[in-house]
Amino acid sequence: MAWWKEKCTYRYLFLSFLIGLILFFLYLIRGLFVPFILAIVLVYMLNPLVERMEKRGSPRVVAILILYLGVVIVATSLLMYGVPRMVNQLEKMVENIPLYTDQVEEIVRNIQKRFADSSMPPGVQQIVDERIRWVESRVLAIVRKSMDLLMALLSNLFYIALAPVLAFYIMKDLKLIKNWTRSIVPKELVEDVFYLARKVDDVFSNFIRGHLTVVVIVGILSSLAFMVIGLEFAAMFGIIAGIAELIPYFGPLIGAAPAVGIALLHSKYMTLKVILAVLIIQQVEGNIISPKIMGNCMGLHPLVIIVALLAGGHLFGIAGMLLAVPLAAIIKIIVSFVWRKLI
């Protein structure tokens, strides 16, 4: 029988058409990805606990609802305590922005005056002046992007609130979803597809659970340390330092930059204390916290991680740096699998 008359050929064609249709549909609703991404994060964080409770005899739906109740209690407590403090810090920061701006402008004027009074060649002096103006424009651009991101989060509160609902139904019917996926995949491909799915699942589970745990720990430690040394906006800078931990290698520098910048405007002694606090926390994180929680969960050489981070940052900015490492790990898994199949 000719290959175009075989039943499996039509099945492959239909499967390819179905995958293409799904991808096109996902492209059309790309603006709604936020609740789906947050739902997946919730599933990865909560599903292991749901499965443990289910093994101990608790119905799956009841286990999910109990965990949701715990999450709601913790989140409500954090919001009741944390939101007023964050609002107060934001209001104080807004009030202090003119003062900080004047201080920065004074520093810039002193630098420009120092270069103007020096015997530096005019061409070199012009380059230095251009670089100073470039730094000023970059800082302003970062501030504007931060404000845009904050406004975007506020405007998408409804979609963000959908994440727990989506996560509930995904966890509730997770076994049905797996069985349905197995039923539509051709039998001769089931083993390979699910092998790749397990490997990719391991990458995402290690990345999400491990990194989010490190983010929370570093955020709390940084906030407490900044409070103890008397840095303004300690909680805010602690949160920034924690979130920056999602970016390997460069994250600690990015997260520490705002705190060090504010400390510089106060005094050299405050700057020294902030730098020492950041160094101590990073030593604890690098030598104790991360090795115990994550280990080498991505299985990538440090050089590969650095190249992936640089490429992701160059192409897609901060979002690219956040996703560069897990995507690089997934590409490694797929390439290794295809290579083993070909040889």
Side-chain angles (χ1 to χ4, degrees), residues 279-291:
L279 289 176
I280 292 172
I281 292 172
Q282 288 306 313
Q283 288 300 312
V284 173
E285 182 271 330
N287 296 301
I288 299 176
I289 299 173
S290 289

Side-chain angles (χ1 to χ4, degrees), residues 203-204 207 211 246-249 296-301 304-306 308-309 312 319-332:
V203 169
F204 277 120
F207 179 77
H211 278 75
L246 290 171
I247 305 174
Y249 301 118
N296 188 20
C297 63
M298 294 295 109
L300 297 173
H301 191 276
V304 175
I305 294 177
I306 293 174
L309 288 170
M321 297 184 75
L322 292 175
L323 298 175
V325 176
L327 289 179
I330 291 171
I331 291 172
K332 176 190 174 184

Side-chain angles (χ1 to χ4, degrees), residues 63-75:
I64 296 172
L65 292 176
I66 291 173
L67 285 176
Y68 266 41
L69 179 61
V71 170
V72 168
I73 293 173
V74 173

